[in-house]
Amino acid sequence: MHSVWQDLKFAVRMLRKNPAFTVVAVLTLGLGIGANTAIFSVIDAVLLQPLPYQDPGRLVQISQTALQNQTTGAAVSLT
């Protein structure tokens, strides 16, 4: 534990000695942490939260696709 304390004191001394590096390092850490938090918040809200419907596991999507006629090449719609 003593060596950790010495390392921290040395780090603080070096950061006080180079203020430009300190500002860049703190801004980089702040931007990285902020971006990570923002992205996680969006992913949490969009993908991880359950849908706001009663019984969301029963929701289905119905779609329609067009088949291509082999002889004429025209699209045929199925209804």
Side-chain angles (χ1 to χ4, degrees), residues 4-79:
V4 172
W5 184 249
Q6 284 181 336
D7 288 341
L8 286 174
K9 287 188 345 187
F10 178 73
V12 169
R13 249 184 316 188
M14 289 297 112
L15 289 174
R16 291 174 88 195
K17 193 175 191 181
N18 299 319
F21 174 77
T22 303
V23 169
V24 170
V26 169
L27 286 176
T28 302
L29 284 171
L31 285 173
I33 292 169
N36 191 18
T37 303
I39 290 172
F40 179 77
S41 296
V42 168
I43 289 175
D44 183 51
V46 173
L47 298 176
L48 301 178
Q49 294 295 321
L51 294 173
Y53 302 108
Q54 183 179 359
D55 208 7
R58 295 186 60 194
L59 292 176
V60 296
Q61 178 181 358
I62 299 173
S63 64
Q64 181 178 5
T65 58
L67 298 176
Q68 193 171 16
N69 190 339
Q70 295 292 339
T71 58
T72 62
V76 178
S77 178
L78 298 176
T79 55

